[in-house]
Amino acid sequence: MAAKVEFQVPALRPYPYVPDLVPDSMKGKGPFVAKPDFQTPLGFPGPLVDNWQEVAIEKMGEMLKKYRSLRVYLDVCVRCGACTDKCHYFLGTRDPKNMPVARQDLLRQVYRRYFTLAGKFFPKLVGAKDLTKDVLDDWYNYFHQCSQCRRCSVFCPYGIDTADISMAAREIMDSIGLGQKYCNEIIGKVYKIGNNLGLPEPALRNTLEGLEEDIQTDIGVPVRFPIDEEGADILLVTPSADFFAEPHIDGLIGYAKVFHQAGMSWTLSSYASEAGNFGMFIGSYENMRQISLRIRKAALDLKVKRIVFGECGHAWRVAYSFLNTLAGPFDFLDPKYPVPQHICEVTLDLIKRGALKLDKTANDHRRITFHDSCNVARGSRMGDKPGGQFFIPREVIKASCNFFYDMPADTIHDQTFCCGGGGGLLTDDLIELRVKGALPRIEALKHVVDTHSVTNMASICAICKSQFTKVLPYYGFKMDMIVSVHQLVSTAIVL
Amino acid sequence: MVLTAIYAISFYLATLILIGGLAYKIIEYARTPAPLKVPTMPAPLTTGGVVVRMFEEVVFFKSLFRSHLKWTWLLGIMFHAALLVILLRHLRYFIEPVWWWVVLVQPFGKYGSFAMIVALLGLLGRRFLVERVNYISNPSDYLMLVLLLVIGASGTMTTFVAHTDIVQFKAFMLGVLYFDWQPLPADGPLLVHLAAVILLMVIFPFSKLLHAPGIFFSPSRNQVDNAREKRHLAPWALAKFETSRGTPPQPSV
Ligand code: SF4
Ligand code: SF4
C-alpha cells in the first residue's frame, strides 16, 4: 500500500469562492502504474511500448473516427472560461491544469499538432505540442485527477464533456501500455472472480448467510438474501462493496427488507456479483461491454424477469445509459418494466402503492441531507420524467425520515459536486487528491450542518460512501456521518 | 484594376475555402458516430425537446448563463447579437433591390457596430485580466478578437469617419457575384475591412470558430434521453460485436 503522503488538508472557506491559481501544485507521477500482468487480461500491452508515441497518435486517429464527441469537443472549445471554476479538483487543489479546459488542452494540444492544419503549420499560435514524454507524464498525472463527474459539461456552452476526454486519454494510454493499477487490477478481478473486490462465491454465500442470521437474531424476521436462485423474478446487481463495507451493507439489508415486505422474489448472482463497471473509467468500450455481458448472461442463466441495480453511481450510469447498447436487447425480460431499474425506483413505487410500512420516527435521531452522486445526476435518469434521478431518492428518504434538508442549490441536482473519489481514483495512492477534491462538497455539507444541524449525509453510490468514510475525518467530521439511502429505509421499515 | 482583381479573386478563393472547409467539417461530424448515449442529464425525452434545448443554447447561451460568469454571458450575447444584426445589414450589398426588412435593419446595424466593438473589447480585456481565462488563452485566442476588432473598427470607419462610396462598393460586390467586375473604391478603411473579412473567412473552418456548426453535433446536448427504451448502436460496434456475440471470459473459481 501507499506510504502515507504528507500534505496539508485545505481549510474550509466561506462558500462559494474561486481560488487563485497555484501552478503545478499537483504535478506528480500520478497513481501507481499497472504491471503488465494487470494489462494483459484487458487486452492491453504493458509496460510502455517502445514506439509509444507512434501507437498513441495512431490510436488517437482511430478514436477520432469512432467517437464524434472527441472530434467535436477537441475542435470547438472557444476558451470562454465558463468551466474553469467548476471542477472540484481545481477548487480543492488550485492547480490550473485541473481546470477542465486546461485538462482537455493536454489532449487537445496533441490533437492540434497531429490532426489539424493550424497545429501542423502554426503550433505556437494555437497552442499545439508534440507528444513528448513530458506531455505523456502530464496526461498520466492529470487525467487521473479527473473523476469524470461531468460537472464541467453542465456549464460549457457546447456541452464539452471533460469526462469523455479523460476516458479517451486513458484508453490511449492503456493502448501504449501505460495503464492505471487500481482500475485495471479491478477489471481483472471481475473477469477472474466476478466482482471488483475479488470476493469468491463461497465467501459471498457465507456473508449472505451471516446477514440472514444477524437479522433473524436482531428482529426475529427471516429476511432472505438469495443467491443464484434460478427462476426468481428479479436479478439484483449491486456493487460488491455492499457485501461487506460500511455503510454499504446497511443499504443491502435495506433492499432485502424491502423485497421481503413486498413479497418479491429476487436473487443475487455469484457470476455477476458486481454492479460497478470500471470499463467506463478507462474509456474502454470493449471492456465495458465484456463486463456488461456478464449481467446479461446471469439474467439468462437465472431466468429472471427483471434486472434491478443497487446503490452505485457509475454502475447506474453504465446500466441506465449503456447496458442496452452494450448487452441488449433485453427482449427476454418482462416488458412491463424498464431494463434495468434502480432500487430507488422500485422502492418508491412500492411506497406509493402502500406496499411498505415505514415508521419515520425511527430515524428521528438523524437529520439528513442528500449527496447527489455525479454519475447518477448527470449521466442517468430514474423514473419517467427528466430529473427523476434527483426527486426519486429524495422522496424515498422523505418517506423514511422526518428531517431532511438540502445543501445549497448550486451544489445539488445537476450542479452537484463529486465526492472526490469517483472515476477510478478511489485508491490510497491518490489520497491527497481525494481529500482536496472533497473540499467543495464538504463545504456545502458544513453549511447545512451549521444551519440545520444536519447529522448525516445519505448517498446512493458505493464509491461516494467509501470516499466519505475515508475523507470526512480529515475535515473533522465523523466517518459514519455518511449513510446509505436504503439504510434509512431499513431503519424505518416495520417488518 | 489590379486592386479590384486582387480583392475579387481573394473573395472567390475565401468563399471556396469557407464553404468547402465547413462542408468537410460538417460531413466529418455527421459521419462520425456517437456510439454511446451521453447527453448531459437531465436531458429531453423527445426529439422536440432536444430542439428546444438546442434553441435555448444557441439563442440564449443557457449553459453559459448558468455558469455565473454573467459578464462573459452578457458580452458574448452582445457580440453575437450585434454581429447578427450587422450581417443582416450587410445583405444590402449583395441584393438588388434591397428587401424591405433589410432596409429596416439598417439603423440598428449601423449602431450595432459600436455594441460589437464594446463587447469585443470586454472579451479581450477579460483574457488579460481574469487570471483563469488568461491561463487558458493561446495567442490565437487574442488574435481572433483583434481580427474581429479590426473588422468592426474599419467597418465603422467607412460609415462614420472616412465615408466610403457605397454605391460604387455595391457595384463591386454585385460585380463579383455576377462575374462582371466593377472597380473597387480604393479607400483605406474599406480595403482593410475587406482584407480582414477575407482572412476571417479563410481561417473559419480551421479554428475554434467551428463552434458555430459544432454545437449542433455535440452529443451531450443533441441526444434524446431514451437509452432504456431504444437500443442505440454505432455502425462500427454493430459490425465488430453483434454479428457473432462474444462470450465473456469465464470465472475461474
Ligand atoms: S466552458 Fe467549454 S468552451 Fe468554455 S472554456 Fe470550458 S470547455 Fe471551452
Ligand atoms: S469531469 Fe469533473 S473531475 Fe473531470 S474535469 Fe470535469 S468537473 Fe473536473
Side-chain angles (χ1 to χ4, degrees), chain A residues 21 65-68 75 78-80 82 84 86 125-126 150 153 156 158-159 192 271 285-286 289-290 320 322 324-325 328 340 345 378 381 414-415, chain B residues 25 29 32-33 37-41 45 66-67 126-127 132 136 138 140-141 208 211 217-218 220-221 225 227-228 231-232 236-237 241 245 248 251-252:
Chain A
L21 308 182
K65 293 205 180 71
K66 281 175 145 183
Y67 292 92
R68 191 205 298 145
D75 271 345
V78 297
R79 336 190 82 65
C80 67
T84 51
K86 300 299 180 278
L125 192 69
V126 297
R150 314 188 89 200
S153 110
C156 173
Y158 317 105
K192 208 165 156 203
Y271 177 69
Y285 190 101
E286 171 75 358
R289 177 173 167 276
Q290 290 294 339
Y320 177 87
F322 309 151
N324 200 3
T325 296
E345 295 180 303
R378 291 184 283 262
R381 189 180 88 218
D414 65 338
Q415 301 191 53
Chain B
K25 277 315 245 185
Y29 291 157
T32 312
K37 277 281 185 181
V38 291
T40 311
M41 302 284 193
L45 307 189
R66 290 187 73 198
S67 77
R126 61 185 279 285
R127 288 217 180 273
R132 285 173 286 125
I136 59 171
N138 287 321
S140 55
D141 299 311
K208 65 177 182 177
H211 69 274
F217 294 95
S218 171
S220 64
R221 291 291 181 269
D225 167 14
R228 286 196 289 194
R231 188 150 187 245
H232 175 89
W236 62 258
F241 299 122
R245 189 183 278 285
S252 61

Coordinates of all heavy atoms in Angstrom, one line a residue, chain A residues 21 65-68 75 78-80 82 84 86 125-126 150 153 156 158-159 192 271 285-286 289-290 320 322 324-325 328 340 345 378 381 414-415, chain B residues 25 29 32-33 37-41 45 66-67 126-127 132 136 138 140-141 208 211 217-218 220-221 225 227-228 231-232 236-237 241 245 248 251-252:
Chain A
L21 N -4.8 30.8 -8.8 CA -4.1 29.6 -9.3 C -2.8 29.4 -8.5 O -2.1 30.3 -8.1 CB -3.7 29.9 -10.8 CG -4.9 30.3 -11.7 CD1 -4.3 30.4 -13.1 CD2 -6.0 29.3 -11.6
K65 N -12.2 8.8 -35.3 CA -13.2 8.2 -36.2 C -14.4 7.5 -35.6 O -15.4 7.4 -36.2 CB -12.5 7.3 -37.2 CG -11.5 8.0 -38.1 CD -11.3 7.1 -39.4 CE -10.3 7.8 -40.3 NZ -8.9 7.7 -39.8
K66 N -14.1 7.0 -34.4 CA -15.2 6.3 -33.7 C -16.0 7.1 -32.8 O -17.2 6.7 -32.5 CB -14.5 5.2 -32.8 CG -14.0 4.0 -33.6 CD -13.3 3.0 -32.7 CE -13.5 1.6 -33.0 NZ -12.8 0.8 -32.0
Y67 N -15.5 8.2 -32.3 CA -16.2 9.0 -31.2 C -16.4 10.4 -31.7 O -15.5 11.2 -31.7 CB -15.5 9.0 -29.9 CG -15.5 7.6 -29.3 CD1 -14.4 6.7 -29.5 CD2 -16.5 7.2 -28.4 CE1 -14.4 5.5 -28.9 CE2 -16.5 6.0 -27.8 CZ -15.4 5.1 -28.0 OH -15.4 3.9 -27.4
R68 N -17.7 10.7 -32.1 CA -17.9 12.1 -32.5 C -17.6 13.1 -31.4 O -17.2 14.2 -31.6 CB -19.3 12.3 -33.0 CG -19.5 13.6 -33.7 CD -20.9 14.1 -33.7 NE -21.8 13.1 -34.4 CZ -23.0 12.9 -34.0 NH1 -23.6 13.5 -33.0 NH2 -23.8 12.0 -34.7
D75 N -12.4 20.2 -31.2 CA -12.4 21.3 -32.2 C -13.0 22.6 -31.6 O -12.5 23.6 -31.9 CB -13.3 20.9 -33.4 CG -12.4 20.2 -34.5 OD1 -11.2 20.3 -34.4 OD2 -13.0 19.6 -35.4
V78 N -14.0 27.3 -27.2 CA -13.7 28.7 -27.6 C -12.9 29.4 -26.4 O -12.6 30.6 -26.5 CB -14.9 29.6 -27.8 CG1 -15.6 29.1 -29.1 CG2 -15.9 29.7 -26.7
R79 N -12.6 28.6 -25.4 CA -11.8 29.1 -24.2 C -12.5 30.3 -23.6 O -12.0 31.3 -23.3 CB -10.4 29.5 -24.6 CG -10.0 28.8 -25.9 CD -8.5 28.9 -26.2 NE -7.8 28.0 -25.4 CZ -7.8 26.7 -25.5 NH1 -8.7 26.1 -26.3 NH2 -7.1 25.9 -24.7
C80 N -13.8 30.1 -23.3 CA -14.6 31.1 -22.7 C -14.4 31.2 -21.2 O -14.6 32.2 -20.6 CB -16.1 30.9 -23.0 SG -16.7 29.4 -22.2
A82 N -16.0 29.3 -18.9 CA -17.1 29.0 -18.1 C -16.9 27.8 -17.2 O -17.4 27.7 -16.1 CB -18.4 28.8 -19.0
T84 N -13.9 26.9 -16.0 CA -12.6 26.9 -15.3 C -12.8 26.8 -13.8 O -11.9 26.3 -13.1 CB -11.9 28.2 -15.6 OG1 -12.7 29.3 -15.3 CG2 -11.3 28.3 -17.0
K86 N -15.4 25.2 -12.2 CA -16.4 24.2 -11.9 C -15.9 22.9 -11.4 O -16.7 22.1 -11.0 CB -17.3 24.0 -13.2 CG -17.9 25.3 -13.7 CD -18.9 25.9 -12.7 CE -19.5 27.1 -13.2 NZ -18.7 28.3 -13.0
L125 N 1.1 29.3 -32.3 CA -0.1 30.2 -32.4 C -1.3 29.6 -31.7 O -2.1 30.2 -31.0 CB -0.4 30.5 -33.8 CG -1.4 31.6 -34.1 CD1 -0.8 33.0 -33.8 CD2 -1.7 31.6 -35.6
V126 N -1.5 28.3 -31.9 CA -2.7 27.7 -31.5 C -2.5 26.7 -30.3 O -3.3 26.0 -29.9 CB -3.5 26.9 -32.6 CG1 -3.9 27.8 -33.7 CG2 -2.6 25.8 -33.1
R150 N -18.5 15.1 -14.9 CA -19.3 15.8 -15.9 C -19.8 17.2 -15.4 O -20.7 17.8 -16.0 CB -20.5 15.0 -16.4 CG -20.2 13.6 -16.8 CD -21.4 12.9 -17.4 NE -21.3 13.1 -18.9 CZ -22.4 13.0 -19.7 NH1 -23.6 12.7 -19.2 NH2 -22.3 13.2 -21.0
S153 N -19.3 19.9 -17.9 CA -20.1 19.9 -19.1 C -21.4 20.6 -19.0 O -22.0 21.0 -19.9 CB -20.3 18.4 -19.6 OG -21.6 18.0 -19.5
C156 N -20.7 24.3 -19.9 CA -20.0 24.6 -21.1 C -21.0 24.9 -22.2 O -22.0 24.2 -22.4 CB -19.1 23.4 -21.6 SG -18.5 23.7 -23.2
Y158 N -21.1 24.5 -25.1 CA -21.1 23.5 -26.2 C -21.3 22.1 -25.6 O -21.1 21.1 -26.2 CB -19.9 23.5 -27.1 CG -19.7 25.0 -27.5 CD1 -18.6 25.6 -26.9 CD2 -20.6 25.6 -28.3 CE1 -18.5 27.0 -27.1 CE2 -20.5 27.0 -28.5 CZ -19.4 27.7 -27.9 OH -19.3 29.0 -28.1
G159 N -21.4 22.0 -24.3 CA -21.5 20.7 -23.6 C -20.3 19.9 -23.6 O -20.3 18.7 -23.5
K192 N -12.0 -12.5 -13.5 CA -11.5 -13.8 -12.9 C -12.4 -14.3 -11.9 O -12.7 -15.5 -11.8 CB -10.1 -13.5 -12.3 CG -9.2 -14.7 -12.2 CD -7.8 -14.3 -11.9 CE -7.1 -15.5 -11.3 NZ -5.9 -15.1 -10.5
Y271 N -22.1 -15.0 -10.4 CA -21.3 -14.7 -11.6 C -21.3 -13.2 -11.9 O -20.2 -12.7 -12.2 CB -22.0 -15.5 -12.8 CG -21.3 -15.2 -14.1 CD1 -20.0 -15.7 -14.4 CD2 -22.0 -14.5 -15.1 CE1 -19.5 -15.4 -15.6 CE2 -21.4 -14.3 -16.3 CZ -20.1 -14.7 -16.6 OH -19.5 -14.5 -17.8
Y285 N -14.6 0.8 -24.5 CA -15.9 0.2 -24.9 C -15.9 -1.3 -24.8 O -16.8 -1.9 -24.3 CB -16.2 0.6 -26.4 CG -17.5 0.3 -26.9 CD1 -18.5 1.4 -27.0 CD2 -17.9 -0.9 -27.4 CE1 -19.7 1.1 -27.6 CE2 -19.2 -1.2 -27.9 CZ -20.1 -0.1 -28.0 OH -21.3 -0.4 -28.5
E286 N -14.8 -1.9 -25.2 CA -14.6 -3.3 -25.2 C -14.8 -3.9 -23.8 O -15.5 -4.8 -23.6 CB -13.3 -3.6 -25.9 CG -12.8 -5.1 -25.8 CD -13.6 -6.0 -26.7 OE1 -14.5 -5.5 -27.5 OE2 -13.3 -7.2 -26.8
R289 N -18.1 -3.5 -22.3 CA -19.1 -4.4 -22.9 C -18.9 -5.8 -22.3 O -19.9 -6.5 -21.9 CB -18.8 -4.5 -24.4 CG -19.7 -5.4 -25.1 CD -19.5 -5.3 -26.6 NE -20.1 -6.4 -27.3 CZ -19.5 -7.6 -27.4 NH1 -18.2 -7.7 -27.1 NH2 -20.1 -8.6 -28.0
Q290 N -17.7 -6.2 -22.1 CA -17.4 -7.6 -21.6 C -18.0 -7.7 -20.2 O -18.6 -8.7 -19.8 CB -15.9 -7.8 -21.4 CG -15.2 -8.0 -22.8 CD -15.6 -9.3 -23.5 OE1 -16.1 -10.2 -22.9 NE2 -15.4 -9.3 -24.8
Y320 N -28.0 2.4 -16.8 CA -29.1 3.2 -17.4 C -28.8 3.6 -18.9 O -29.6 3.4 -19.8 CB -29.4 4.4 -16.6 CG -30.5 5.3 -17.3 CD1 -31.8 5.0 -17.0 CD2 -30.1 6.2 -18.2 CE1 -32.8 5.8 -17.7 CE2 -31.1 7.0 -18.9 CZ -32.4 6.7 -18.6 OH -33.4 7.5 -19.2
F322 N -25.9 2.7 -20.9 CA -25.2 1.9 -21.8 C -25.6 0.5 -21.9 O -25.2 -0.2 -22.9 CB -23.7 2.0 -21.5 CG -23.1 3.4 -21.4 CD1 -22.0 3.6 -20.5 CD2 -23.6 4.5 -22.1 CE1 -21.5 4.9 -20.4 CE2 -23.1 5.8 -21.9 CZ -22.1 6.0 -21.1
N324 N -28.2 -1.3 -22.4 CA -29.0 -1.7 -23.6 C -28.1 -1.7 -24.9 O -28.2 -2.7 -25.7 CB -30.2 -0.7 -23.8 CG -31.3 -1.3 -24.6 OD1 -31.2 -2.4 -25.0 ND2 -32.3 -0.4 -24.8
T325 N -27.3 -0.7 -25.0 CA -26.4 -0.7 -26.1 C -25.4 -1.8 -26.1 O -25.1 -2.5 -27.1 CB -25.6 0.7 -26.1 OG1 -26.5 1.7 -26.2 CG2 -24.5 0.7 -27.2
G328 N -27.7 -5.5 -24.8 CA -29.0 -5.7 -25.2 C -29.1 -6.5 -26.5 O -28.1 -7.0 -27.0
P340 N -32.5 -1.5 -17.2 CA -32.7 -2.0 -15.9 C -33.5 -1.0 -15.0 O -33.7 0.1 -15.5 CB -31.3 -2.2 -15.4 CG -30.5 -1.0 -16.0 CD -31.2 -0.8 -17.3
E345 N -36.1 3.4 -7.7 CA -37.4 3.4 -8.4 C -38.3 2.3 -7.9 O -39.5 2.5 -7.7 CB -37.1 3.1 -9.9 CG -36.3 4.1 -10.7 CD -36.1 3.7 -12.1 OE1 -35.5 2.7 -12.4 OE2 -36.4 4.5 -13.0
R378 N -25.8 13.4 -13.5 CA -25.5 13.9 -14.8 C -25.4 12.9 -15.9 O -25.1 13.2 -17.1 CB -24.3 14.8 -14.8 CG -24.5 16.1 -13.9 CD -23.2 17.0 -14.0 NE -22.2 16.5 -13.1 CZ -21.9 16.9 -11.9 NH1 -22.7 17.9 -11.4 NH2 -21.0 16.4 -11.1
R381 N -30.9 8.7 -15.5 CA -32.2 9.2 -15.0 C -32.8 8.1 -14.2 O -32.4 6.9 -14.2 CB -33.1 9.4 -16.3 CG -34.4 10.1 -15.9 CD -35.2 10.4 -17.1 NE -36.1 9.3 -17.4 CZ -36.4 8.8 -18.6 NH1 -35.8 9.3 -19.7 NH2 -37.2 7.8 -18.8
D414 N -28.2 18.7 -10.8 CA -27.1 18.5 -11.8 C -25.9 19.4 -11.6 O -24.9 19.3 -12.3 CB -27.7 18.8 -13.2 CG -28.2 20.2 -13.5 OD1 -28.4 20.9 -12.5 OD2 -28.3 20.6 -14.6
Q415 N -26.0 20.2 -10.5 CA -24.8 21.0 -10.2 C -24.0 20.4 -9.0 O -23.1 21.0 -8.4 CB -25.1 22.4 -9.8 CG -25.9 23.2 -10.9 CD -26.0 24.7 -10.6 OE1 -25.0 25.3 -10.3 NE2 -27.2 25.2 -10.7
Chain B
K25 N -16.0 19.7 -42.7 CA -16.1 19.5 -41.2 C -17.4 19.0 -40.8 O -17.6 18.1 -40.0 CB -15.8 20.8 -40.5 CG -14.3 21.1 -40.3 CD -13.5 19.9 -39.8 CE -12.9 20.0 -38.4 NZ -12.1 18.9 -38.1
Y29 N -18.3 15.6 -39.0 CA -19.0 15.4 -37.7 C -20.2 14.5 -37.9 O -20.5 13.7 -37.1 CB -19.5 16.8 -37.3 CG -18.4 17.8 -36.8 CD1 -18.6 19.2 -36.8 CD2 -17.2 17.3 -36.4 CE1 -17.7 20.0 -36.4 CE2 -16.2 18.2 -36.0 CZ -16.4 19.6 -36.0 OH -15.5 20.4 -35.6
T32 N -19.2 10.8 -38.2 CA -18.6 10.1 -37.1 C -19.7 9.8 -36.1 O -20.4 10.6 -35.6 CB -17.6 11.1 -36.4 OG1 -16.8 11.6 -37.4 CG2 -16.7 10.3 -35.4
P33 N -19.8 8.5 -35.7 CA -20.9 8.1 -34.8 C -20.7 8.5 -33.4 O -19.5 8.7 -33.0 CB -21.0 6.6 -35.0 CG -19.6 6.2 -35.4 CD -19.0 7.4 -36.2
K37 N -24.9 6.6 -25.4 CA -25.8 7.7 -25.0 C -25.2 8.5 -24.0 O -25.0 8.0 -22.8 CB -27.1 7.0 -24.5 CG -28.0 6.6 -25.6 CD -28.8 7.9 -26.1 CE -29.8 7.5 -27.2 NZ -30.5 8.6 -27.7
V38 N -24.8 9.7 -24.3 CA -24.1 10.6 -23.3 C -24.6 12.0 -23.2 O -23.9 12.9 -23.0 CB -22.6 10.6 -23.7 CG1 -21.9 9.3 -23.5 CG2 -22.4 11.1 -25.1
P39 N -26.0 12.2 -23.3 CA -26.5 13.5 -23.0 C -26.2 14.0 -21.6 O -26.2 13.1 -20.7 CB -28.0 13.4 -23.3 CG -28.3 12.0 -23.0 CD -27.1 11.2 -23.4
T40 N -25.9 15.2 -21.4 CA -25.7 15.7 -20.0 C -27.1 15.8 -19.4 O -28.0 16.5 -20.0 CB -25.1 17.1 -20.0 OG1 -23.9 17.1 -20.8 CG2 -24.7 17.5 -18.6
M41 N -27.3 15.0 -18.4 CA -28.7 14.9 -17.8 C -28.9 16.0 -16.8 O -28.0 16.6 -16.3 CB -28.8 13.6 -17.1 CG -28.5 12.4 -18.0 SD -29.9 12.1 -19.0 CE -29.5 10.4 -19.6
L45 N -36.7 14.0 -23.3 CA -37.0 12.7 -23.6 C -37.5 12.5 -25.1 O -37.8 11.4 -25.5 CB -38.2 12.2 -22.7 CG -38.0 12.4 -21.2 CD1 -39.1 11.7 -20.4 CD2 -36.6 11.8 -20.8
R66 N -25.8 29.8 -16.9 CA -25.9 29.1 -15.6 C -24.5 29.1 -14.9 O -24.4 28.8 -13.7 CB -26.3 27.6 -15.8 CG -27.7 27.5 -16.2 CD -28.1 26.0 -16.2 NE -28.2 25.5 -14.9 CZ -28.2 24.1 -14.6 NH1 -28.0 23.3 -15.6 NH2 -28.3 23.7 -13.4
S67 N -23.5 29.4 -15.7 CA -22.1 29.3 -15.1 C -21.7 30.4 -14.2 O -20.6 30.5 -13.7 CB -21.1 29.2 -16.2 OG -20.8 30.5 -16.7
R126 N -11.0 40.7 -20.6 CA -11.0 39.6 -19.6 C -10.0 38.5 -19.9 O -9.5 37.9 -19.0 CB -12.4 39.0 -19.4 CG -13.0 38.3 -20.7 CD -14.4 37.9 -20.5 NE -14.5 36.6 -19.8 CZ -14.3 35.4 -20.3 NH1 -13.9 35.4 -21.6 NH2 -14.4 34.3 -19.7
R127 N -9.5 38.4 -21.1 CA -8.4 37.5 -21.4 C -7.1 37.9 -20.7 O -6.3 37.1 -20.4 CB -8.2 37.4 -22.9 CG -9.2 36.6 -23.6 CD -8.7 35.7 -24.7 NE -9.9 35.0 -25.3 CZ -10.4 33.9 -24.9 NH1 -9.8 33.2 -23.9 NH2 -11.4 33.3 -25.4
R132 N -7.7 33.1 -14.5 CA -8.0 31.7 -15.1 C -8.1 31.8 -16.6 O -7.6 30.9 -17.3 CB -9.3 31.2 -14.4 CG -9.1 30.7 -13.0 CD -10.5 30.4 -12.4 NE -11.3 31.6 -12.1 CZ -12.5 31.8 -12.5 NH1 -13.1 30.9 -13.3 NH2 -13.1 32.9 -12.2
I136 N -5.7 30.1 -19.8 CA -6.1 29.1 -20.9 C -6.0 29.8 -22.3 O -6.4 29.1 -23.2 CB -7.5 28.6 -20.6 CG1 -8.5 29.7 -20.6 CG2 -7.6 27.7 -19.4 CD1 -10.0 29.3 -20.5
N138 N -4.6 31.1 -25.7 CA -3.5 30.9 -26.6 C -3.3 32.2 -27.4 O -4.3 33.0 -27.5 CB -3.7 29.8 -27.6 CG -3.6 28.4 -26.9 OD1 -2.7 28.2 -26.1 ND2 -4.5 27.5 -27.2
S140 N -3.7 32.6 -30.5 CA -4.7 32.7 -31.5 C -6.0 33.2 -30.9 O -6.9 33.8 -31.6 CB -5.0 31.3 -32.1 OG -5.2 30.3 -31.0
D141 N -6.2 33.0 -29.6 CA -7.4 33.5 -28.9 C -7.5 35.0 -28.9 O -8.5 35.6 -29.1 CB -7.6 32.9 -27.5 CG -7.7 31.4 -27.5 OD1 -8.5 30.9 -28.3 OD2 -7.0 30.7 -26.8
K208 N -11.3 27.7 -33.9 CA -12.4 27.5 -32.9 C -13.7 28.1 -33.3 O -14.7 27.8 -32.7 CB -12.0 28.1 -31.6 CG -11.8 29.6 -31.6 CD -11.5 30.1 -30.2 CE -11.4 31.6 -30.1 NZ -11.2 32.1 -28.8
H211 N -17.1 26.3 -33.5 CA -18.1 26.1 -32.5 C -19.5 26.4 -33.1 O -20.5 25.8 -32.6 CB -17.9 27.0 -31.3 CG -18.0 28.5 -31.5 ND1 -17.1 29.3 -32.0 CD2 -19.1 29.3 -31.3 CE1 -17.5 30.5 -32.1 NE2 -18.7 30.6 -31.7
F217 N -23.7 19.3 -33.2 CA -23.3 17.9 -33.2 C -22.8 17.4 -31.9 O -22.3 16.3 -31.7 CB -22.1 17.7 -34.3 CG -22.6 17.9 -35.7 CD1 -22.5 19.2 -36.3 CD2 -23.3 16.9 -36.4 CE1 -22.9 19.4 -37.6 CE2 -23.7 17.1 -37.7 CZ -23.6 18.4 -38.3
S218 N -22.9 18.3 -30.9 CA -22.4 17.9 -29.6 C -23.3 16.8 -28.9 O -24.4 17.1 -28.6 CB -22.3 19.2 -28.7 OG -22.0 18.8 -27.4
S220 N -23.5 15.6 -26.0 CA -24.0 15.9 -24.7 C -25.2 16.9 -24.7 O -26.0 17.0 -23.8 CB -23.0 16.5 -23.8 OG -22.5 17.7 -24.3
R221 N -25.4 17.5 -25.9 CA -26.5 18.4 -26.0 C -27.6 18.0 -27.0 O -28.7 18.4 -26.9 CB -26.0 19.8 -26.4 CG -25.2 20.6 -25.4 CD -26.1 21.0 -24.2 NE -25.3 21.7 -23.2 CZ -24.7 21.1 -22.2 NH1 -24.8 19.8 -22.0 NH2 -23.9 21.9 -21.4
D225 N -32.8 11.5 -24.3 CA -32.7 10.6 -23.2 C -33.7 9.4 -23.3 O -34.8 9.5 -22.8 CB -32.8 11.4 -21.9 CG -33.0 10.4 -20.7 OD1 -32.7 9.2 -20.8 OD2 -33.4 10.9 -19.6
A227 N -32.3 5.9 -23.5 CA -31.4 4.7 -23.6 C -32.1 3.4 -23.2 O -31.9 2.4 -23.8 CB -30.2 4.9 -22.7
R228 N -33.0 3.5 -22.2 CA -33.7 2.2 -21.8 C -34.7 1.7 -22.8 O -35.0 0.6 -23.0 CB -34.3 2.4 -20.4 CG -33.3 2.4 -19.3 CD -34.0 2.2 -17.9 NE -34.8 3.3 -17.5 CZ -35.2 3.4 -16.2 NH1 -34.9 2.6 -15.3 NH2 -36.0 4.5 -15.9
R231 N -32.6 0.9 -28.2 CA -31.2 0.5 -28.3 C -30.4 1.4 -29.3 O -30.8 1.5 -30.4 CB -31.1 -1.0 -28.7 CG -29.8 -1.6 -28.6 CD -29.7 -3.0 -28.3 NE -28.4 -3.5 -28.1 CZ -27.7 -4.3 -28.8 NH1 -28.3 -4.9 -29.9 NH2 -26.5 -4.6 -28.6
H232 N -29.3 1.9 -28.8 CA -28.5 2.8 -29.5 C -27.2 2.1 -29.9 O -26.5 1.7 -29.0 CB -28.3 4.0 -28.6 CG -27.4 5.1 -29.2 ND1 -27.8 6.1 -30.0 CD2 -26.0 5.2 -29.1 CE1 -26.8 6.8 -30.3 NE2 -25.7 6.3 -29.8
W236 N -20.0 0.9 -36.2 CA -18.8 0.1 -36.0 C -18.9 -0.9 -34.9 O -18.3 -2.0 -35.0 CB -17.5 1.0 -35.8 CG -17.5 1.9 -34.6 CD1 -17.8 3.2 -34.6 CD2 -17.3 1.6 -33.2 NE1 -17.7 3.8 -33.3 CE2 -17.4 2.8 -32.4 CE3 -16.9 0.4 -32.5 CZ2 -17.2 2.8 -31.1 CZ3 -16.7 0.4 -31.2 CH2 -16.8 1.6 -30.4
A237 N -19.7 -0.6 -33.9 CA -20.0 -1.6 -32.8 C -20.8 -2.7 -33.3 O -20.5 -3.9 -33.0 CB -20.6 -0.9 -31.7
F241 N -19.1 -6.4 -33.0 CA -19.6 -7.2 -32.0 C -20.8 -8.0 -32.2 O -21.0 -9.1 -31.6 CB -19.8 -6.4 -30.7 CG -18.6 -5.7 -30.2 CD1 -18.6 -4.3 -30.1 CD2 -17.4 -6.4 -29.9 CE1 -17.5 -3.6 -29.6 CE2 -16.3 -5.7 -29.4 CZ -16.3 -4.3 -29.3
R245 N -21.9 -12.7 -31.3 CA -21.8 -12.2 -30.0 C -20.8 -12.9 -29.1 O -20.8 -14.1 -28.9 CB -23.2 -12.3 -29.3 CG -23.3 -11.6 -28.0 CD -24.6 -11.8 -27.4 NE -25.6 -10.9 -27.9 CZ -25.7 -9.6 -27.6 NH1 -24.8 -9.1 -26.7 NH2 -26.6 -8.9 -28.1
P248 N -18.3 -13.6 -22.6 CA -17.3 -13.0 -21.7 C -16.4 -14.1 -21.1 O -16.8 -15.3 -21.1 CB -18.2 -12.4 -20.6 CG -19.5 -13.0 -20.7 CD -19.7 -13.4 -22.1
P251 N -15.6 -17.3 -15.3 CA -14.9 -17.2 -14.0 C -14.1 -18.4 -13.7 O -14.5 -19.5 -14.1 CB -16.1 -17.1 -13.0 CG -17.3 -17.7 -13.8 CD -17.0 -17.5 -15.2
S252 N -13.0 -18.2 -13.1 CA -12.1 -19.3 -12.9 C -12.1 -19.8 -11.4 O -11.1 -20.3 -11.0 CB -10.7 -18.9 -13.3 OG -10.2 -17.9 -12.5

